[in-house]
Amino acid sequence: MSVKVLDAAVLGVAKGLAEGQPLLGASRAATMCFVKMCALRRHPSALDNPKISVVIPVYNEKATIEEILRRVLETGLRKEIVIVDDCSTDGTRQYLESMVEAQGTGETWAPAHDGGDPVDVRELRIFFQTQNQGKGAALRRGFQEATGDIVLVQDADLEYDPKDYPTLLNPIIDGRADVVFGSRFLSGPQRVHYFWHYVANKTLTLLSDVMTNLKLTDMETCYKVFRKEVLQGINLRSNRFGFEPEITAKISKGKWRIYEVPISYAGRTYEEGKKITWKDGVQALWCIFRYNIAD
């Protein structure tokens, strides 16, 4: 049961008590005992209405950037959306610059270029890299700029669905976890996709598990969520997709509580804009050994 649901239940009972209505079939003393027990069940590390920093690294995502922002904004969380553009060359950077201009003139909405609804800019914080460095470097910048209690990584394409945020966030908000991985291989719905990508992901995850002594099913997932203090104690170095094995290796060396939850996945084809290649797989393999042994 989540903290909010538990609190609502306790408040409901308390209200009934105030009106002279103890629990059905229970004495007033028994009812008060129930309320005290429920209050004690709240985990000491639970977070009350935390602020979420959704960090989005962006590179050449003109076709999807507006829609992913709409989907994140629709989650209804108390949040900030930290966008880091990694020197896009397809018009994404110019569109983000127009959003910054809208914010500067006091506008609350930016017109859409994809034929969809305008995008609310009030929760957006947009940063621009001075040169193209890669996803890992963009995430480092985003983590530095984040001010939330919880940091969630979101890709700028539409492969990962923000509708999964409650599943990803609940273990941390309830106080059970410090880090949450969203796994594409735990029975969540997904688009049937490249077989050899699946084999590569499972192989890299297995090797990572051997080195870290964790039991993950999807080390390479985009969806990783952290309490802010987890990231504050980690020095990240990878500039490209080596971020995934690096962050996994470094959190495994701490005493952090790690959860894994099922998520949905709608993988893209290369024609649709997928960027990761076999070279990134080789780099990930190198990073698994480098950050578990030498760093």
Side-chain angles (χ1 to χ4, degrees), residues 46-67:
L47 299 175
D48 185 18
N49 191 29
K51 178 181 177 181
I52 315 299
S53 293
V54 180
V55 178
I56 308 180
V58 181
Y59 179 67
N60 287 355
E61 297 292 359
K62 181 180 179 180
T64 59
I65 183 64
E66 292 165 299
E67 180 58 24

Side-chain angles (χ1 to χ4, degrees), residues 13-14 26 28 39-40 59-60 64-65 102 145 148 159 163 170 191 210 222 240 256 269 278 285:
V13 172
R28 183 178 181 85
L40 290 173
Y59 179 67
N60 287 355
T64 59
I65 183 64
E145 301 292 349
E159 291 189 330
K163 288 181 180 179
N170 278 342
R191 176 181 177 180
V210 169
C222 154
R240 286 182 54 78
W256 305 113
T269 65
W278 66 269
L285 181 62

